[in-house]
Structure formats: C-alpha cells, structure tokens
Amino acid sequence: MDSSAQVLLIGAGIVGCSTAYHLARLGLTDVMVVEQGPLPATGGSSSHAPGLVFQTNPSETLSRLATRTVETYAGLELDGRPCFHQVGGIEVATTPERWDDLKRKLGLATAWGIHGELLDPRQVQERIPQIDASRIHGGLHVPTDGIAKPVRAAEAMAREAQRLGVRFAANTEVIGFDVRGGEVRAVRTNRGDVAVQTVLCCAGIWGPKIGELAGVSIPVQPLAHQYAVTGSVPGLVAARDEVDQPILRHQDRSMYFRQIHDRYGIGSYQHRAIPVDSSEILPTAAPGGGAEAPSEGGGWKGMASVQPFTPEDFADPWQDACDLLPVLRRTEVTEGMNGLFLFTADGMPVLGPSKEIDNFWVAEAVWITHAGGVGQVVAQWLAGQVTDIDLRQADLRRFEDFAHSPSYVAERGAQSFREVYDIIHPQQPPEHPRPLRTSPFHDRQRELGAVFLEANGWERPHWYESNKPLLEGRDIAQPGPWAGRYWSPVVGAEHQATRERVAMYDMTSLARAEVTGRGALDLLQRLTTNQLDRPPGYVTYALMLEPTAGIRADITVARLERDTFQVGCNGPRDIAWLRRHADETAQVRDITGGTCCIGLWGPRARAVLAELADRDVSHDAFRFFRAQRLHVREVPVVALRLSYVGELGWELYTSAEFGRRLWDLLAGAGAEHGIFPGGRGAFNGLRLEKGYRAWGADMWSLHDPDEAGLGFAVKTGKGDFIGRDALLRRRESAPRRKLCCLTIDDGTVLMGSEPVFADGEPVGFTTSAGYGYSVGASLAYAWLPAELAHPGTPVRVSYFDEPHPATVAADPVFDPEMTRMRC
C-alpha cells in the first residue's frame, strides 16, 4: 500500500466516494480512500439504504445539498445503467394539519428553487393507482425527486476518481493515528502507516470509533430504522428498470414507500428509538458483505450495518400501510431489516475540521439524500475554497462541549429520530434534557412566570406572565395559528412598553470572547472589516468575511484596554475562527459561561442606571457606542452603550456570581420608572423594526456587506483584512440582489422562508419576519433582485400557498435617524 497521501479519506461509502470524485474533478488527486470492508459494497449504511431522495426541507442548506445531489447522481451511470431514477416524489396528507403543512412546504420548495405542485386526491391516484384517494386530502409533488442507487453511484464516482488518479484500498482498517504537535502526521492501518497532510473521516456508523482513536469527538448517534419488502403486489408492474411510480411519503404515520419491480419497499420511523453503540458495530467481513440488495429487495445478510428485523415493531406500520394502499392486504412482508444510520442532536450533518485536531476533518450523519452535494462542498472546503453552499448549520464546530456528551447526543439523537416526519414549528424547543444552561437570573425569571424556549442549551424567556397587566389599554394584533404558536399577546405589550419605559432583557446566551495580548489588535484588524484601532473605551460593529467577501459573521468589538477586547459573537464557530487565526501574541478565551448580561433598554434606562452607577452616565459622559468599567452599587460591570432594540440603553456585563445581585439592583431602582423584564419575543420584533440584521437568519456567507445593507461597517482604507480584495472586486459592479424590508399589506404575520413573487414569478425569499407593534405593521426581510429593492415596489409573498400583497419599505421602518438611541 502507498505510504503517503495529501488527503486520506476513511470510508468508501457514498460520502467518501463523492468527496474523492469531486476532489479529483478539482484537480486534487493525491488522495487515498481506505475502506475496512469490501468494494464497492462496503456493508455500511450506503449498502442497505433504499435511496429515496426528497429534496424539500425547512433547512435551505439541506435543500440545496439535496438539489446538488440530484444533479450529481443524475449525471452518473455505471456500465450503461442509471444511478438515479428521477420518478418524482409525492408526500400525502391524511389530516388537515398535514395538508396545511404541505402548503407550507410548497412555499419552502419554491423559496429554495425547487419546482413543486399540490395535487388533489385524484391526481395523486393517477400517479400512484394503488393509493386509497378517499383517505387523503392531497399531496405535494416534486417531479425532480427520485431514487438513488447508492452502491452503483458510489462505484461510478470511485471509477472516475481512480481514472483521475485517486487510490482506493479495500479491506484496510484504520487502527490508530500518529498525532504530534496537534496534527495527524500518519494514519495507522492494518496494512501499514500512511503519512498524510489531511484526514477526512466519513466512516458513517463507525465514525465515532474512528474519532476516538484520534482523540476527536464526533457527536452522532447510530440508530436502527425499519425497512421491509413485500411480496409481489397485484397490478404493480415497472415498465423500465425497477421503478415507474413516484416515491411516496405518508408522514402522518412516519412512513415511506418505493416501488421495486412488482413489490414495495416500506420504511418506518414509527417504532421506538433503537440506539446502538458505535464501538460495538463490527466491520463487515470481506469479501461477501454488502450488495445493492435493497433496490432488489433483501439480501442484507452479512452487513454489519443491518440488525435483525423486529416484526413486533412493524405491526402497526403494516396496518397503516394497508390502509393507505389497500392492495397490500393481498400480499405480505417477505423480508426486512433494522438498518443503522446516524442522527445528530439537531438533525443536521456534522462537517468540517474538528476543534481538537486542525487537519482531522469530518463528514458524518450524511444521508443518501445529501451525499452527492456534501461530497462536492467538502471537496471545495478541503481544496481551500469557500463552499458555494453555506454550511453554517452543518459545521461540526457549532456544537459546544456539552453537546458532545454521550448522554446529550443519545437523548437528542433519539429525539431527532422520533421527529423525522413530525410537523416541527421553527420555534419548537426540544423537550429533554432541560433545563441545561441557565443564566443567574433564572430563579427570578421563573418567579415572574417566564415562558422559556431553548437555544443552544440556554433557557431563554420568550415572555413573562407577570407582564399581563401591561396589556391594559392596548390593542395587540393577533398572528395566525402557525405564527401564533409559542406566542402571547404579552409579547406585543412588552414590545410597546419597552419603547415607553424601561425593560431588562437577559442577553446572557449571546456568545462572547475575550481577546488579549500584544497581538490582539492585529488579530482583530486582520479578521474584521471595520477600524478597530481606536482608543480604549470604544465599541465597534464589524463583520468577519470569507476570502470571497461573503459575511462569515457580524460581531461587536469593545476595546476595554490597550490589549484587551471583548468580542460579541454569534456562537462557537466565531470563537473557533478567532482561535484558528491567533498566534502566540494573542489569546482567545470563551467567557460566555462565566459571565452574564442584562440589556437595560428604554427611554428611562439612564434614570435607572444613574441611581446605581458610581460614574456619570449622562450622554456627554457616556456616549453612544462606548464602553466603560463601572460599579452598579457593589457589582463590577462592563457597560456597553449600545442597543439591539433601537432604544437608549446599555448592555451590562458582569461575572456570573454577581448576576442575581445585578438583576435585583436594577429591578429595585427601576420600580419607580415602571421597569419590567422583557422576553425574546418582544426583542425580535423590536430589532426587526429597527432594521438590525441577525447573522444566520438574514445574511450568511453567500452575501456580501453591500448586498446585506452593511456597507457602513466596512473600512477598506484601514489596510488589509480577509475578504477585502474580493469585496473591492465585487464593488466594481453594482449588487445584483439586496436584503430589503417588506411590509405585509394585509397584516398577515409570516414566519420566514416564504417565497416572494413579482409578476407571477418567484424572485426571492423572506428571512426574519414578525409584527412591528410600534409601527402597527407586519414586517419581513427578504432577498430580492436589486431592481426590485426600491421603496414602494409591490410584490407578493406566498404563505401556506396563499398570496399576500407586500411592499418594499424604507429600511428601517422605525426611527431611521436613530435619535432615540443617541439621546
């Protein structure tokens, strides 16, 4: 076996083969793929997967990866046989709630550039004659969905990669790593060591075991999923290869169906979660393991990724299958399996470099639906390019330490399994384990009747039942049933009262880092767009860009001392980015968990703080976007005069042990000024009115600062920074799209990710949405072509397949002169 490779891929399933194929097409061919099992059917999850590819997903990232996957598979063939049957996909609704959800999903498909259509029961039956049309309300049809042939596609990509120079080694087990100086120097296998520059683990259900050998945590959970194959079904005939009918999902009963010649394959997520320990999964023995069996029905013997079928778990699903497709009562289940594949805490893949070892990369929890696209973007990433699909939701480094714990991964992974086909509201919090992360104010918040939602493990008050008296005399607009979940009229009252009085907002969950050392300024100057070389006491809003000028993050940087900066981040990815670029002259420390923050905002905020602070907090003494260390009575505080809600006020930071005292002091001093605690519901509406963008929701790495309306945060004259040259090149021509504010003219409250139409054609999609209770209007931000981004331009937004008139508005709609914050 060769003794070196620039890139070594562990695992020759569909992900490994796709990545090798795309690396080779990019010209990177010093690549070796090692596989513990036989080739081409390795015996892993790719070898038993039924191959269904439904592209539409609430996550734009997953939808675009699936679309790219369809393009990849459809362009492949092996020995004259196709690797993808583009027969289309249909999801049916047997309940009114699911029918509404399919209308919403049509909007998602349209927003992400996927053509779909709603079918009535008769039209569904025309495409799948076996279905009982009387049981359904209709279906969502996506003609470009279909069935992948995973082993065939993997072999086709492997052959092309080999033709271009990539090497594959079957029956080669990774048994260890030579890790020195924080890098993998060599991969140890049962056939010898291989010196490497980069390692990519795409070993599927064996991934956690491989990671453990290298000292890398891969937070995934293998679970078993039931799949059965029927006997011959009367009247079911495929005129071509093996399938003519569209693939079918019966999500009300957590099931899917696919034709296999004259039989059906039936998958079910209806059963109990069946977790498996990765360390207990043995390799598939060579040479007999694995085959393209599922597409032909059965033949899974010898695959380590397959466990024995448990008929008792399939009893109810079989009855449900017979109810939907009555012809199944004339046949029976002839064979089945419990196939293993990976789940994560949030249902997304884990991709990219690990935090433990810079050159140990991961591509795990990737389903057949996304594998072709994942292979392409991971190849781009490994080749040093910026991926052309944003991967913020799939980046391995999005998970903090607690989310790597075995108990958390197991519990949330099982919940992801149970919710695969559930109707999940965008704000729906996970149920367990909670509470996990709480601010020092948590007890006080519970006493005040806080209604908590969860984000990244943090319990965050969405509104407070104690604020119901604020409703008196107010007419609060009611959102519809979907937008009105996880909502109370108190949200609107808190929103309006913040602009009238003063409120305390718990901002503890926002990630923050301390950057110190003589090289701290140089580090931050290189990574950010704005001028940070200002005296201590200044706060600066800045962006971190990709080399392509896409927005990697937006941050606030407070210079507290000459060599000490506090950086407000979006999450652990940002902190990892800072650390990756730091040298020995700059130290980056995550201070989130040891500190807490109260946003004291509203026109009476100064009156409250002035009573408690040991320094002058008048406008002249403490100006806008400045930072000071002061005491709130006996509590040491870092005070930043800025506001994400568009009102006078401060972010007040202290260490966690002083948090409750800070809360109590502010609450006591603010009583005469009508102080109250505000929740995230009001916070989100306030920031929408003020036009403040949320990274990850409104803009991400595919958008540049000018497109996002953030050009003011860029100072190209300050010197070099990552993305500067690319941005200057982009500025040689006008932006082709812009992030715009819309008012929804009939008052309908949206949720985001709805398609926007002009002249009957889809032209963009919404991002953040909500109700502006100060301006009395439903608001949404949306990405639109630049020619439509002018105030007064009429458009239409589709919400649950109903058109709603909207108008491009001047941005922001509230206090555009910023007089309230600067007083």
Side-chain angles (χ1 to χ4, degrees):
M1 190 172 72
D2 293 335
S3 60
S4 68
Q6 183 178 349
V7 181
L8 186 139
L9 277 57
I10 303 172
I14 191 72
V15 178
C17 290
S18 178
T19 305
Y21 168 75
H22 286 104
L23 281 171
R25 296 185 72 184
L26 290 173
L28 205 167
T29 57
D30 185 10
V31 176
M32 179 182 291
V33 184
V34 296
E35 169 55 51
Q36 66 179 356
L39 293 174
T42 65
S45 300
S46 299
S47 299
H48 72 243
L52 283 72
V53 179
F54 284 94
Q55 298 167 83
T56 306
N57 191 283
S59 164
E60 181 193 13
T61 296
L62 287 184
S63 292
R64 297 205 184 279
L65 287 171
T67 300
R68 190 71 55 83
T69 294
V70 167
E71 294 169 358
T72 299
Y73 295 162
L76 299 171
E77 63 174 33
L78 185 72
D79 300 331
R81 303 176 70 193
C83 296
F84 186 69
H85 300 298
Q86 199 160 45
V87 293
I90 297 177
E91 302 177 37
V92 295
T94 59
T95 64
E97 294 78 13
R98 184 68 65 176
W99 184 232
D100 283 343
D101 190 57
L102 292 185
K103 294 176 182 178
R104 182 179 68 93
K105 289 189 75 173
L106 175 62
L108 290 169
T110 305
W112 310 146
I114 301 167
H115 172 68
E117 58 182 338
L118 291 174
L119 306 178
D120 63 33
R122 178 187 57 80
Q123 291 171 315
V124 173
Q125 192 177 53
E126 286 174 356
R127 291 163 174 81
I128 305 176
Q130 290 75 17
I131 205 163
D132 181 352
S134 70
R135 289 186 173 272
I136 64 174
H137 295 262
L140 171 62
H141 179 223
V142 175
T144 52
D145 289 344
I147 296 175
K149 306 295 294 182
V151 175
R152 196 183 297 171
E155 185 175 2
M157 290 188 286
R159 283 189 190 180
E160 178 62 11
Q162 287 175 300
R163 187 187 71 79
L164 294 171
V166 173
R167 294 153 286 161
F168 282 74
N171 307 312
T172 303
E173 184 180 358
V174 173
I175 58 175
F177 296 89
D178 177 10
V179 179
R180 286 174 287 154
E183 291 188 348
V184 175
R185 303 300 178 89
V187 178
R188 295 187 170 127
T189 80
N190 62 342
R191 298 176 60 199
D193 291 359
V194 182
V196 297
Q197 295 180 27
T198 304
V199 175
L200 174 68
C201 179
C202 42
I205 56 177
W206 292 279
K209 182 178 177 180
I210 296 295
E212 188 174 348
L213 290 174
V216 169
S217 172
I218 303 178
V220 295
Q221 174 64 56
L223 286 125
H225 160 57
Q226 282 208 311
Y227 181 74
V229 178
T230 72
S232 179
V233 176
L236 182 63
V237 179
R240 55 180 182 173
D241 202 358
E242 69 181 66
V243 56
D244 284 330
Q245 284 188 0
I247 52 179
L248 171 65
R249 282 207 286 202
H250 179 18
Q251 291 180 292
D252 286 316
R253 301 307 297 162
S254 299
M255 302 179 71
Y256 61 80
F257 304 79
R258 56 148 299 178
Q259 182 184 10
I260 310 170
H261 299 292
D262 63 346
R263 294 176 286 173
Y264 277 118
I266 306 171
S268 170
Y269 294 96
Q270 201 180 122
H271 58 84
R272 61 194 166 91
I274 308 174
V276 177
D277 189 330
S278 181
S279 65
E280 298 175 357
I281 306 171
L282 298 175
T284 295
E292 186 122 20
S295 62
E296 307 300 332
W300 300 292
K301 184 177 181 181
M303 290 190 193
S305 62
V306 172
Q307 296 194 333
F309 189 62
T310 49
E312 64 276 13
D313 289 313
F314 203 70
D316 288 342
W318 177 246
Q319 183 59 53
D320 292 330
C322 292
D323 289 343
L324 185 66
L325 305 173
V327 70
L328 294 180
R329 295 193 178 98
R330 299 165 62 188
T331 185
E332 62 184 357
V333 172
T334 59
E335 52 194 321
M337 65 167 176
N338 288 0
L340 302 181
F341 62 123
L342 293 177
F343 285 80
T344 60
D346 58 4
M348 297 293 292
V350 284
L351 310 176
S354 67
K355 69 173 184 177
E356 296 92 344
I357 300 176
D358 284 344
N359 68 335
F360 188 102
W361 289 53
V362 171
E364 298 289 7
V366 180
W367 294 7
I368 300 299
T369 305
H370 311 109
V374 164
Q376 185 175 47
V377 296
V378 169
Q380 293 170 353
W381 205 351
L382 285 168
Q385 301 179 9
V386 177
T387 62
D388 60 358
I389 294 176
D390 183 89
L391 299 178
R392 67 192 185 281
Q393 296 176 319
D395 193 320
L396 169 61
R397 294 163 298 182
R398 72 189 183 273
F399 289 121
E400 298 189 50
D401 288 345
F402 73 88
H404 286 259
S405 66
S407 63
Y408 184 91
V409 173
E411 189 156 13
R412 288 287 174 93
Q415 184 168 339
S416 292
F417 175 90
R418 289 189 292 268
E419 293 178 345
V420 163
Y421 282 173
D422 284 359
I423 300 173
I424 303 295
H425 191 275
Q427 293 180 321
Q428 181 173 325
E431 297 177 3
H432 305 285
R434 291 179 63 188
L436 182 59
R437 307 175 84 180
T438 58
S439 76
F441 324 126
H442 186 68
D443 287 348
R444 293 289 186 258
Q445 293 164 343
R446 290 181 63 190
E447 292 166 1
L448 293 166
V451 176
F452 293 97
L453 300 185
E454 190 249 36
N456 195 26
W458 286 103
E459 295 294 323
R460 304 198 304 184
H462 211 59
W463 71 86
Y464 293 82
E465 291 294 313
S466 61
N467 287 331
K468 282 185 175 179
L470 293 175
L471 286 166
E472 187 175 349
R474 302 181 191 274
D475 183 16
I476 303 299
Q478 303 277 325
W482 183 248
R485 292 191 190 181
Y486 307 104
W487 178 89
S488 163
V490 175
V491 169
E494 290 178 358
H495 178 131
Q496 292 179 347
T498 299
R499 301 227 185 272
E500 300 162 358
R501 294 154 53 172
V502 58
M504 297 189 299
Y505 286 85
D506 182 357
M507 306 304 294
T508 302
S509 63
L510 297 182
R512 48 201 166 272
E514 183 181 76
V515 182
T516 58
R518 58 185 173 84
L521 176 61
D522 288 342
L523 169 67
L524 292 169
Q525 286 282 72
R526 282 187 285 115
L527 296 184
T528 67
T529 59
N530 216 331
Q531 177 57 267
L532 304 181
D533 191 5
R534 308 169 80 186
Y538 275 79
V539 183
T540 306
Y541 177 78
L543 309 174
M544 295 196 293
L545 303 183
E546 299 283 4
T548 54
I551 301 171
R552 182 179 180 84
D554 68 335
I555 61 175
T556 55
V557 182
R559 192 172 194 180
L560 304 180
E561 299 169 8
R562 181 181 182 276
D563 295 331
T564 301
F565 297 80
Q566 180 173 305
V567 182
C569 304
N570 296 285
R573 284 180 78 247
D574 295 351
I575 296 174
W577 184 252
L578 293 171
R579 285 175 172 159
R580 176 182 171 186
H581 290 88
D583 59 21
E584 68 280 359
T585 68
Q587 294 76 49
V588 179
R589 186 167 67 97
D590 185 346
I591 62 172
T592 311
T595 56
C596 58
C597 177
I598 293 176
L600 182 70
W601 295 317
R604 302 183 192 175
R606 179 175 287 117
V608 175
L609 188 59
E611 183 177 328
L612 299 168
D614 63 349
R615 292 195 178 192
D616 184 357
V617 294
S618 66
H619 177 66
D620 290 337
F622 199 151
R623 301 187 70 82
F624 188 53
F625 262 75
R626 298 292 197 276
Q628 290 189 29
R629 295 186 189 272
L630 51 81
H631 287 89
V632 173
R633 287 288 190 263
E634 57 280 334
V635 177
V637 163
V638 172
L640 310 184
R641 191 181 159 194
L642 49 88
S643 165
Y644 207 47
V645 302
E647 293 294 329
L648 168 69
W650 288 263
E651 292 180 1
L652 302 174
Y653 295 88
T654 189
S655 54
E657 77 266 30
F658 292 113
R660 193 151 86 168
R661 178 62 173 163
L662 177 62
W663 178 283
D664 290 345
L665 287 167
L666 294 172
E672 64 179 290
H673 302 285
I675 200 168
F676 62 93
R680 299 293 297 194
F683 175 88
N684 289 331
L686 289 161
R687 71 102 180 160
L688 273 176
E689 288 183 332
K690 201 66 187 69
Y692 289 149
R693 280 73 167 129
W695 184 87
D698 297 314
M699 74 281 187
W700 43 90
S701 65
L702 301 184
H703 309 116
D704 70 39
D706 298 331
E707 294 171 333
L710 298 175
F712 67 87
V714 178
K715 301 294 186 289
T716 56
K718 76 165 188 174
D720 193 30
F721 55 84
I722 293 176
R724 177 181 181 273
D725 292 344
L727 181 59
L728 290 174
R729 288 192 296 272
R730 287 194 184 205
R731 285 181 168 179
E732 292 174 1
S733 56
R736 292 178 296 174
R737 59 185 175 182
K738 288 190 175 181
L739 183 64
C740 305
C741 181
L742 305 180
T743 57
I744 312 306
D745 298 336
D746 62 5
T748 300
V749 179
L750 309 179
M751 288 297 296
S753 300
E754 295 90 7
V756 182
F757 292 78
D759 297 325
E761 296 296 322
V763 293
F765 58 89
T766 62
T767 58
S768 297
Y771 199 83
Y773 291 98
S774 307
V775 297
S778 174
L779 304 174
Y781 276 79
W783 282 100
L784 296 178
E787 60 270 21
L788 298 176
H790 304 291
T793 302
V795 293
R796 287 187 175 270
V797 180
S798 181
Y799 184 61
F800 285 87
D801 200 38
E802 292 290 335
H804 297 272
T807 304
V808 177
D811 182 16
V813 297
F814 181 84
D815 189 25
E817 303 302 322
M818 297 183 70
T819 56
R820 298 173 70 93
M821 298 174 67
R822 296 177 181 273
C823 61

